Amino acid sequence: MIRMARAPLLAAWLLFALALPTLATATLPAEGRYPGGIARIALTGTGFAGEGEVRFRDRRVLTLAENGRWYALVGLPLDLAPGDYAVTVSPAGGPSTSIDFAIGDKQYRTQTLTVKPGMVNLSAESLARVQRETPRIRQALDHWDAAMHADSLAFHVPVPGRRSSSFGLRRVFNGESRKPHSGMDIAAPTGTAVVAPAAGVVTEAGDFFFNGNTVFVDHGHGLVTMYCHLSAIDVAPGQQVAAGERLGAVGATGRVTGPHLHWSVSLNGTMVDPALFLAAGS
Ligand SMILES: [Zn+2]
């Protein structure tokens, strides 16, 4: 359903002035209109042709064209209630349009874990560290890079190995509910190379309390990937990386029980299931 609304002239002018080249053609990721998934919304009939912006809940979302048709890719939060939502499409110089879409439900499994008490009930020192680190993580994930760096959204697998299907897993640590698992775990021996799944720019890298040695790669347009628990970091912030380029090595740093890669994919500041970006059977 499409509704028309007037866009303020100033906003329209700013959008036009800020418009930058966008990803012209790419293989779209798989769609999943449920919490933790991606809504792929055709922008047909809105006048959007790459300049301007599309927003979901006040956040800009990634837009791209495939076979001459424009789409918005909307990351759907894990805690989003099933129901009706909308994106606002604001083509440069044209009126804004609202496109409604429905989100279904998805049942994720629950896992009960017993971990070292110090990792659940943080010391004052650890808590202070986590509070210092959280804004760095949020900043990397929420960053909007107007340049699109990824030339394809059909991602390389960042490390070969057994992939868990644990994205969205609800976790109870020592009887206390924690945030659901917001990434994919890939089991691999310590030292195994971790590579960029698509081209991007390293925006943050360092040692974090929960995630251990971590690298963030910004692929542009709010698409950011995160690599955790690394034994080695081989890139630095500001560095451009190509698809397949080494970022670091698998490890067991941070809050883990064994060596593996925790890989997260964030779209419009929202963790989505990384499996949607991998071709089936890859
Ligand atoms: Zn994980």
Side-chain angles (χ1 to χ4, degrees):
M1 192 197 306
I2 291 177
R3 293 193 303 265
M4 302 300 283
R6 271 183 308 191
L9 197 61
L10 179 63
W13 162 247
L14 280 172
L15 295 178
F16 181 73
L18 293 171
L20 283 155
T22 50
L23 192 62
T25 299
T27 304
L28 295 165
E31 187 174 45
R33 291 193 180 191
Y34 45 73
I38 298 170
R40 191 177 67 205
I41 296 170
L43 302 177
T44 315
T46 63
F48 186 89
E51 294 185 344
E53 64 174 34
V54 179
R55 285 183 179 265
F56 175 64
R57 297 169 114 204
D58 278 338
R59 282 178 183 266
R60 284 189 76 166
V61 301
L62 188 152
T63 54
L64 79 174
E66 190 175 68
N67 299 326
R69 297 183 65 171
W70 282 91
Y71 297 87
L73 290 184
V74 184
L76 304 170
L78 266 168
D79 61 0
L80 195 67
D84 295 325
Y85 294 90
V87 288
T88 305
V89 186
S90 303
S96 290
T97 302
S98 181
I99 302 177
D100 295 342
F101 61 101
I103 298 303
D105 201 1
K106 179 161 179 163
Q107 294 301 319
Y108 291 104
R109 288 177 301 125
T110 299
Q111 180 187 39
T112 305
L113 275 180
T114 303
V115 297
K116 279 189 287 182
M119 284 298 189
V120 174
N121 301 309
L122 302 184
S123 66
E125 190 187 347
S126 297
L127 190 62
R129 181 180 166 190
V130 168
Q131 284 170 345
R132 281 197 307 277
E133 292 173 354
T134 301
R136 282 174 63 193
I137 295 170
R138 273 307 348 148
Q139 189 175 18
L141 295 175
D142 290 344
H143 186 244
W144 179 268
D145 190 331
M148 192 68 205
H149 302 291
D151 53 359
S152 170
L153 299 186
F155 280 180
H156 293 235
V157 179
V159 64
R162 187 176 53 78
R163 304 203 292 263
S164 78
S165 57
S166 65
F167 176 86
L169 190 70
R170 296 170 198 284
R171 297 180 298 183
V172 181
F173 288 172
N174 300 358
E176 291 180 42
S177 282
R178 296 280 138 177
K179 279 194 273 185
H181 189 234
S182 58
M184 171 189 279
D185 290 336
I186 306 177
T190 293
T192 309
V194 174
V195 303
V201 175
V202 177
T203 48
E204 177 70 271
D207 178 23
F208 295 82
F209 179 79
F210 286 111
N211 295 336
N213 290 323
T214 301
V215 170
F216 295 81
V217 179
D218 199 318
H219 304 283
H221 280 210
L223 177 61
V224 179
T225 55
M226 177 174 85
Y227 308 81
C228 303
H229 313 308
L230 304 175
S231 58
I233 292 176
D234 298 326
V235 289
Q239 189 177 332
Q240 299 226 3
V241 290
E245 192 170 333
R246 183 182 168 111
L247 303 173
V250 172
T253 54
R255 187 180 65 176
V256 286
T257 51
H260 72 278
L261 175 70
H262 171 102
W263 177 38
S264 282
V265 177
S266 179
L267 250 186
N268 45 274
T270 296
M271 297 297 199
V272 296
D273 189 350
L276 295 169
F277 287 84
L278 299 176
S282 70

